[in-house]
Amino acid sequence: ITMFQAIAISALAASAAADYTSASPQSLKMMFESFKTQFKAKYSTMEEEMTRFQNFKENLKLIHERNVAERKAGGSASHGITRFADLTHSEFAGKYLGYVKSENTNATVADVKPYTGSESLVDWTGVYTTPVKDQGYCGSCWAFAASEQIESDAMRTLGVTFELSPQQLVECDRSSMGCNGGLQERAYSYVQRAGGIEQETDYPYTSGADGSEGTCSSDKSKFVLTVSDYTTIKDETSMAAYVKSTGPVSIAIDASTWSTYTGGIMTECGTQINHAVQAVGVDDSAGGYWKVRNSWGTSWGESGFIRLAYGKDMCGITTDVTYVEAKKV
């Protein structure tokens, strides 16, 4: 797609998002063609393409509604066309979310001391984090959130950097349900029971291609890190104090409206917890936000990140907050 076409399509998209009913059939078709090109969408039959086009038009309505809601709430988040624009909500939720809540996590509750520094904004991106990953077409967010938290805590306390294997968790942690969802705490416990977790290079991620899970093939001789304990934090003030003074935390949130997020600080969100991610920074000043790392690749959101309004338990961000004690194997 040329730069001129991209600008033209972007203008059409903005127009349709602002007032869907005013977009002409030709404009909608052009936008859909641009979407297919940008996101390399291919359909096996004309019938499927017609279905996807209808989904696309319905998502334009959703984009408009979400932008209106954000503006009414005084938020700065913008919604637009993303890689999920040809999916129904049930398809999106079924394969790109995947947090399964459990009341029996047996986590120690942290006693977090108030933050005494002067900074309002702390961001651990690139300090205690590895690059943004992509879970693909698999509800394995829990495996990414868990492995990323182990990575971060190992970087923070052990001074070692490993990119760990979410595939090992998807295939081998039978207390969760692979691409059909799971829980970070169960993943931590699995790593502890198994004696460790491998690196991504030794046990590469494959489930994202089509949502299928293989057979567990972990190799203990390749384990690099394990977990000796994990801890939870119970309120937003304590969570902010911990993140500002110490490092990232694994979290669970409601990402139902994230399918169309393209940038800004989100202030309109639900509390039906369905997705696991990692909070990597916070600005607790007036109008501040949480910086959250997602696992939908760098083309989504703000280069793979989203900002959530601080101080409002936005998207249920305090529901399930954890960090671990990582150990070398």
Side-chain angles (χ1 to χ4, degrees):
I1 183 170
T2 67
M3 182 179 294
F4 176 78
Q5 287 174 316
I7 293 172
I9 295 300
S10 178
L12 285 168
S15 173
D19 186 0
Y20 169 80
T21 58
S22 70
S24 69
Q26 183 181 8
S27 295
L28 293 173
K29 187 64 176 175
M30 287 176 63
M31 290 165 59
F32 185 59
E33 291 301 322
S34 175
F35 162 79
K36 290 194 298 179
T37 299
Q38 182 178 353
F39 295 102
K40 298 178 174 60
K42 296 181 180 179
Y43 311 115
S44 57
T45 65
M46 184 58 68
E47 183 180 9
E48 182 187 2
E49 177 150 347
M50 291 176 63
T51 298
R52 295 301 168 191
F53 183 40
Q54 184 60 39
N55 293 344
F56 180 82
K57 291 187 288 184
E58 291 300 319
N59 279 317
L60 286 180
K61 294 179 183 178
L62 204 56
I63 289 166
H64 171 58
E65 292 168 1
R66 289 173 178 173
N67 280 323
V68 168
E70 276 288 330
R71 298 297 85 78
K72 284 184 176 179
S76 67
S78 60
H79 292 269
I81 296 170
T82 70
R83 66 193 254 196
F84 308 116
D86 63 348
L87 302 179
T88 66
H89 177 72
S90 60
E91 286 175 325
F92 165 72
K95 283 301 181 183
Y96 292 99
L97 307 180
Y99 172 85
V100 179
K101 188 176 181 180
S102 173
E103 300 297 335
N104 302 312
T105 58
N106 299 317
T108 302
V109 178
D111 180 17
V112 181
K113 302 296 188 291
Y115 180 68
T116 57
S118 58
E119 303 92 344
S120 61
L121 170 62
V122 174
D123 183 357
W124 298 107
T125 305
V127 180
Y128 292 148
T129 67
T130 55
V132 170
K133 302 177 180 68
D134 191 345
Q135 70 189 68
Y137 195 64
C138 171
S140 54
C141 59
W142 60 276
F144 282 82
S147 59
E148 288 168 359
Q149 190 59 40
I150 299 170
E151 291 171 353
S152 292
D153 287 322
M155 296 168 77
R156 178 176 62 84
T157 62
L158 303 177
V160 296
T161 301
F162 294 109
E163 289 196 33
L164 301 176
S165 170
Q167 190 68 35
Q168 180 183 342
L169 300 179
V170 169
E171 292 184 344
C172 304
D173 176 14
R174 303 325 303 166
S175 63
S176 287
M177 297 175 288
C179 285
N180 293 314
L183 185 72
Q184 299 96 300
E185 289 91 337
R186 292 177 185 170
Y188 302 150
S189 295
Y190 157 75
V191 172
Q192 190 173 27
R193 291 193 311 272
I197 184 170
E198 295 183 41
Q199 296 185 74
E200 168 70 16
T201 51
D202 290 324
Y203 202 147
Y205 187 65
T206 57
S207 289
D210 57 7
S212 63
E213 304 148 18
T215 303
C216 179
S217 57
S218 62
D219 183 346
K220 290 186 177 182
S221 71
K222 295 179 180 178
F223 288 172
V224 290
L225 292 171
T226 189
V227 171
S228 61
D229 197 8
Y230 58 89
T231 303
T232 189
I233 300 171
K234 287 299 186 183
D235 63 82
E236 195 162 0
T237 301
S238 295
M239 182 179 163
Y242 178 87
V243 170
K244 292 183 77 170
S245 66
T246 309
V249 288
S250 176
I251 59 173
I253 42 71
D254 183 345
S256 300
T257 59
W258 290 19
S259 60
T260 54
Y261 173 81
T262 56
I265 301 174
M266 183 174 280
T267 57
E268 280 292 298
C269 199
T271 56
Q272 300 300 310
I273 309 303
N274 52 26
H275 192 46
V277 285
Q278 189 183 40
V280 299
V282 63
D283 177 353
D284 61 357
S285 63
Y289 59 86
W290 289 100
K291 183 178 180 181
V292 174
R293 173 169 67 154
N294 201 357
S295 53
W296 295 343
T298 56
S299 65
W300 175 87
E302 297 180 329
S303 299
F305 295 85
I306 184 172
R307 287 179 290 160
L308 305 176
Y310 176 78
K312 303 177 180 180
D313 194 20
M314 190 58 53
C315 303
I317 196 170
T318 64
T319 299
D320 186 5
V321 182
T322 57
Y323 62 91
V324 307
E325 183 178 334
K327 293 178 62 178
K328 293 180 183 178
V329 173

